Amino acid sequence: MSDLFDDPTPDNQPGQNAPEFTVSEISGEVKRTLEGSFGRIRVKGEVGRVFKARSGHLYYDIKDDRSVLACTTWKGQIAGLSVVPEEGLEVVVTGRLTAFPAQSKYNMNVEEVAVAGQGALMALLEKRKKQLEAEGLFASERKKPLPYLPQIVGVVTSPSGAVIRDILHRLRDRFPRKVLVWPVAVQGQSSAAEVSRAINGFNALTPGGALPRPDLIIVARGGGSIEDLWGFNEEIVARAVAASDIPLISAVGHETDTTLIDFVSDRRAPTPTAAAELAVPVRLELLGWTEGQGARLVRSAGQAVQMRRQRLNDLSRALPRPDTLLETPRQRLDRIADRLPDALIRGVDRRRLRLSETAASLRPATLRQLVQARGDQLRNLSSRLNIRPIQQGLARQQDRLAQLAQRLDNGQTQRLDRYRKSLESSGRQLEILSYKATLDRGYAVVHGADGVITCAADAASQSHLQIEFADAKIDVTPMDAGADARPRRKAQAAKPQENTPDNAKPSADDQGSLF
């Protein structure tokens, strides 16, 4: 570097030969000098202006009472920051010092941000708390009631710690429920992002789906320092809890630990075990309470029935006897029954007198006039009555009736024809299947007293036989063949029919005896 800027010839000497550099050469040499001299450094200061560009890069200042250092964290490095810089926060940044030749400025590329002490963390926490409280995230009216007996409990915690074992053990002792565990990192740089994703993921599940949506969420973690619990103080976690549609219990740290999630959640539990106790009631206590209520119900029902029975007995003693109630109506009935015959006679006499008076006032001339007036009225009405539409309607109905009768006759005739053809077809099939067709081919049927004879021994025992041919039946008397019947039958069966044509039918004269 010294060789680059050494001037071999003084300015006051004639014929100086000083080298000339371009702006890019000078800027590059300055950049290399800064990066080579400082390398990786740590700087402590207060965060000033913070600006996140549309490209995703983060620009901010680190300052003290006299100077300001421009800092840059690229988009890919932001996820690795344990603390996101906020204006007014005292931090210690770690990175590399570099230059920006386009504007002749130098800045620091920050790779890691840490809070400079617990006091600064508490100040940042108080600042965030006031901001969220001003937005109404801590308001009691927005907190949702916890379900009395949730079917499914979602737990956001580390799967390898003692917290999840305590929660599962407590739930199993009090009232066993289905538990969905969403594993997350409960401390470190990725803790806040994983916890917020877990809460949003539980809310995104479909109720009653293959992976059912929980009715209650528990966010739990064991105790630790404020740095260990800082992930639950991040704004992203607080806003995820506030946006949750599922009731949420926060159980982060011990009873003395307080984080932002405790103020935003619907209920805070001092420990993870206490969160399990808030989530479900004690099953044995519910059973005991139910049995007690049942016993009270039985006792109350028995006492109510007994009181009403006693009241009924008291009212029944106060009522009069049935005979006493019927005495007055019975006497009234007797008096009315005594007066009834005289009343009927007087009524008939009055109606007879009225009839006589009416009949005396009627005269033949008056009757004739009345009949004539009624006849004139009837003729007037008949002249006004037009019966032609009625006759036309009757004619149309008669024509329709005749058409229906004709259709009925045609349908009946067609139906009888179908039945006749079906009967004839069945008769032909019966004739084909009948043994009569076999008789036409030259066979005969032998009938005895007990039915058809099929063997010679049965025929020999018969006193009378009847042979049925295709055209007629003849009666024959069997010969007494005795012991020769069977050998002759065999001989006839063995004799070949050489000179008989296949289609020739034996005549009645050639047939002879069957034996």
Side-chain angles (χ1 to χ4, degrees):
M1 179 177 177
S2 60
D3 294 339
L4 179 64
F5 294 99
D6 289 342
D7 188 359
T9 305
D11 294 338
N12 56 1
Q13 293 183 3
Q16 66 180 16
N17 194 18
E20 297 179 352
F21 301 99
T22 64
V23 176
S24 298
E25 291 175 346
I26 291 296
S27 299
E29 187 64 27
V30 171
K31 179 180 177 65
R32 286 191 295 273
T33 301
L34 285 174
E35 293 178 352
S37 300
F38 291 95
R40 185 177 178 86
I41 59 175
R42 299 175 73 242
V43 179
K44 179 180 179 180
E46 181 182 347
V47 179
R49 175 190 58 88
V50 180
F51 172 71
K52 188 172 185 179
R54 186 176 302 177
S55 59
H57 307 316
L58 187 64
Y59 300 95
Y60 51 96
D61 296 333
I62 301 296
K63 62 182 179 178
D64 56 16
D65 56 346
R66 290 180 296 177
S67 302
V68 176
L69 175 62
C71 298
T72 304
T73 301
W74 306 122
K75 177 180 179 181
Q77 297 173 326
I78 295 178
L81 297 180
S82 58
V83 177
V84 178
E86 296 185 12
E87 187 174 354
L89 181 65
E90 187 177 3
V91 296
V92 176
V93 296
T94 304
R96 298 180 181 277
L97 199 64
T98 183
F100 185 50
Q103 296 182 357
S104 299
K105 295 181 179 180
Y106 71 95
N107 61 0
M108 182 177 182
N109 177 228
V110 177
E111 301 174 356
E112 183 180 350
V113 179
V115 179
Q118 185 172 352
L121 283 177
M122 296 304 296
L124 178 60
L125 177 60
E126 190 65 24
K127 178 182 177 182
R128 287 180 180 173
K129 181 179 177 181
K130 291 180 179 180
Q131 177 185 354
L132 296 178
E133 185 177 7
E135 295 180 9
L137 270 62
F138 299 167
S140 58
E141 57 270 12
R142 59 161 298 277
K143 297 183 182 297
K144 297 175 286 295
L146 302 182
Y148 180 71
L149 186 60
Q151 297 296 324
I152 301 172
V153 178
V155 180
V156 179
T157 187
S158 173
S160 58
V163 172
I164 185 61
R165 292 195 297 270
D166 293 342
I167 293 176
L168 294 177
H169 177 72
R170 198 58 176 167
L171 290 176
R172 185 168 54 251
D173 289 345
R174 291 175 64 86
F175 206 119
R177 298 282 86 186
K178 293 182 179 179
V179 178
L180 292 179
V181 180
W182 195 301
V184 296
V186 293
Q187 71 180 51
Q189 299 177 356
S190 61
S191 174
E194 291 185 12
V195 171
S196 62
R197 283 197 298 268
I199 297 173
N200 296 330
F202 274 137
N203 281 271
L205 295 177
T206 303
L211 187 61
R213 179 180 177 181
D215 303 315
L216 179 67
I217 298 176
I218 298 176
V219 180
R221 188 208 185 281
S225 63
I226 186 173
E227 290 82 3
D228 295 337
L229 304 179
W230 190 253
F232 299 93
N233 289 320
E234 294 291 348
E235 184 177 353
I236 185 176
V237 176
R239 295 193 180 277
V241 173
S244 176
D245 295 330
I246 304 173
L248 187 142
I249 300 176
S250 64
V252 178
H254 298 305
E255 188 171 359
T256 57
D257 298 326
T258 303
T259 56
L260 281 182
I261 192 176
D262 296 332
F263 298 98
V264 186
S265 61
D266 299 304
R267 186 71 66 85
R268 177 185 181 270
T271 61
T273 303
E277 295 176 355
L278 291 175
V280 295
V282 180
R283 184 172 181 270
L284 295 179
E285 292 180 358
L286 287 179
L287 291 176
W289 181 83
T290 304
E291 293 177 357
Q293 294 299 317
R296 290 181 58 188
L297 180 62
V298 172
R299 288 195 303 269
S300 299
Q303 292 175 0
V305 171
Q306 185 177 0
M307 292 175 59
R308 283 164 176 76
R309 183 182 294 112
Q310 182 65 34
R311 179 64 175 167
L312 180 60
N313 294 333
D314 296 341
L315 293 175
S316 63
R317 286 192 297 267
L319 289 175
R321 296 170 54 189
D323 294 339
T324 305
L325 294 174
L326 294 177
E327 284 180 357
T328 301
R330 187 178 293 116
Q331 292 176 0
R332 189 182 302 114
L333 179 61
D334 293 339
R335 289 196 301 269
I336 293 174
D338 294 338
R339 295 167 54 188
L340 181 60
D342 297 337
L344 290 177
I345 294 173
R346 289 194 297 270
V348 171
D349 292 341
R350 286 196 301 270
R351 284 169 177 77
R352 184 181 293 113
L353 180 59
R354 190 181 300 115
L355 179 61
S356 300
E357 294 175 354
T358 304
S361 63
L362 292 177
R363 298 178 181 177
T366 304
L367 292 176
R368 282 194 299 271
Q369 292 175 0
L370 183 60
V371 172
Q372 185 177 359
R374 293 292 189 272
D376 294 340
Q377 186 178 4
L378 179 61
R379 284 190 294 272
N380 187 19
L381 292 175
S382 62
S383 63
R384 292 168 59 186
L385 181 62
N386 189 4
I387 63 174
R388 178 171 295 178
I390 299 177
Q391 293 176 351
Q392 293 177 356
L394 291 175
R396 286 195 298 270
Q397 295 296 331
Q398 290 176 356
D399 294 340
R400 179 171 175 79
L401 181 61
Q403 293 176 2
L404 293 176
Q406 183 64 32
R407 290 174 59 185
L408 181 61
D409 293 340
N410 295 337
Q412 187 68 17
T413 303
Q414 293 176 1
R415 187 174 184 184
L416 291 175
D417 291 341
R418 288 197 301 270
Y419 286 163
R420 187 180 296 108
K421 291 179 181 179
S422 177
L423 183 60
E424 291 176 357
S425 176
S426 299
R428 287 192 296 271
Q429 292 181 3
L430 183 60
E431 291 178 357
I432 293 173
L433 299 176
S434 176
Y435 73 95
K436 297 290 187 180
T438 306
L439 297 179
D440 291 339
R441 295 197 297 270
Y443 294 91
V445 180
V446 180
H447 299 275
D450 300 330
V452 178
I453 303 300
T454 58
C455 58
D458 295 339
S461 63
Q462 299 289 330
S463 61
H464 178 76
L465 296 175
Q466 187 180 46
I467 302 176
E468 180 182 0
F469 296 96
D471 54 348
K473 294 181 180 180
I474 61 174
D475 296 332
V476 299
T477 302
M479 297 175 60
D480 188 11
D484 297 335
R486 184 174 297 176
R488 187 178 296 120
R489 182 180 180 186
K490 292 182 180 180
Q492 291 176 357
K495 182 178 180 180
Q497 299 178 359
E498 297 177 355
N499 299 325
T500 303
D502 295 338
N503 297 330
K505 293 183 179 180
S507 64
D509 298 336
D510 296 338
Q511 184 174 2
S513 175
L514 291 175
F515 308 105

